[in-house]
Amino acid sequence: MSNINSTQYIKATSDDANLEVSQILEKVYKALAEKGYNPVTQIVGYIMSGDPTYITSHNGARSLIMRAERDELIEEALTYYINEKFIKKQV
């Protein structure tokens, strides 16, 4: 039986150790979709509230999303949106 007063360590898998915010969002999106959730609604709920229970633990999605700051998630999504909607249309 483990000591409840000891810190438990979890080693990140080498595949997930150095993910960028865009990769985190992609993996979390896929995990939410696989579980039948509306990924956009769930991710927005997490960003707005900071409550990680909006994100499924399926495929480690909850742990992944908490690696990025919520403002980084918004920045990534907004940058992608602006590039797709405005920048590419001007070219």
Side-chain angles (χ1 to χ4, degrees), residues 8-41:
Q8 299 297 318
Y9 294 96
I10 299 173
K11 183 180 177 196
T13 62
S14 60
D15 293 342
D16 293 338
N18 297 314
L19 291 178
E20 293 186 17
V21 176
S22 61
Q23 294 168 311
I24 290 171
L25 279 170
E26 181 180 356
K27 286 180 175 256
V28 169
Y29 184 97
K30 287 178 180 178
L32 287 162
E34 285 175 8
K35 293 301 284 182
Y37 296 108
N38 178 328
V40 173
T41 302

Side-chain angles (χ1 to χ4, degrees), residues 27-86:
K27 286 180 175 256
V28 169
Y29 184 97
K30 287 178 180 178
L32 287 162
E34 285 175 8
K35 293 301 284 182
Y37 296 108
N38 178 328
V40 173
T41 302
Q42 296 305 113
I43 293 170
V44 168
Y46 169 71
I47 290 171
M48 297 296 292
S49 70
D51 183 355
T53 60
Y54 276 96
I55 307 301
T56 182
S57 58
H58 177 64
N59 288 341
R62 188 175 295 156
S63 296
L64 278 176
I65 203 157
M66 291 189 305
R67 289 186 190 174
E69 297 293 328
R70 290 183 293 155
D71 64 318
E72 292 175 316
L73 299 170
I74 294 169
E75 183 178 349
E76 181 65 30
L78 190 55
T79 299
Y80 181 81
Y81 179 83
I82 289 170
N83 284 336
E84 290 298 311
K85 290 291 185 178
F86 305 115

